[in-house]
Amino acid sequence: QVQLVESGGGLVQPGGSLRLSCLASGFVFEETPMSWSRQAPGKGLERVADIGSHGNTYYADSMEGRFTISRDNAKNTVYLQMTNLNPEDTAVYYCGRGNHAYASNYGYLGQGTQVTVSS
């Protein structure tokens, strides 16, 4: 059974940083691309970043340079380091098994963690 458990969300001031974590189980993590997506209030699911099984990365334009996706295969964990956060980054952030398209189409998403950027 695939399980994805996100953590690390919270309230942060504009310009601040957060690191999200996602502990995965139920599949061969080291062979599987992973992703982060987000959903802001009243909006659809948005691609944030993908990381391949070999560590190659992709970022949505608005996150490039501010967010960093990484993985630790020994810990079955994928991370999202977020810096220079702004209120538009407020959303529920979801970890996905597979890249964004695969994870969202097949529902391989965690329960999400709330990130709120506000002063």
Side-chain angles (χ1 to χ4, degrees), residues 1-5 23-28 34 96-98 107-110:
Q1 181 180 359
V2 173
Q3 287 195 323
L4 302 165
V5 181
L23 178 61
S25 61
F27 59 97
V28 183
M34 299 293 292
R97 175 196 178 193
Y108 288 130
L109 297 169

Side-chain angles (χ1 to χ4, degrees), residues 53-65:
S53 58
H54 297 292
N56 50 305
T57 58
Y58 166 87
Y59 297 94
D61 288 345
S62 62
M63 292 74 163
E64 184 81 54

Side-chain angles (χ1 to χ4, degrees), residues 18-107:
L18 278 177
R19 187 176 83 155
L20 307 182
S21 301
C22 172
L23 178 61
S25 61
F27 59 97
V28 183
F29 180 81
E30 64 186 19
E31 297 179 357
T32 305
M34 299 293 292
S35 58
W36 286 97
S37 305
R38 71 183 186 184
Q39 187 165 23
K43 296 186 177 180
L45 193 65
E46 178 185 22
R47 188 180 194 181
V48 173
D50 296 345
I51 185 166
S53 58
H54 297 292
N56 50 305
T57 58
Y58 166 87
Y59 297 94
D61 288 345
S62 62
M63 292 74 163
E64 184 81 54
R66 298 190 300 125
F67 292 8
T68 303
I69 188 171
S70 61
R71 63 191 297 158
D72 185 338
N73 290 339
K75 296 182 178 179
N76 278 18
T77 300
V78 61
Y79 303 98
L80 184 69
Q81 177 69 49
M82 305 185 293
T83 63
N84 194 22
L85 287 161
N86 58 65
E88 290 68 40
D89 295 315
T90 294
V92 178
Y93 284 72
Y94 297 94
C95 170
R97 175 196 178 193
N99 61 27
H100 167 78
Y102 183 89
S104 58
N105 286 342
Y106 291 95

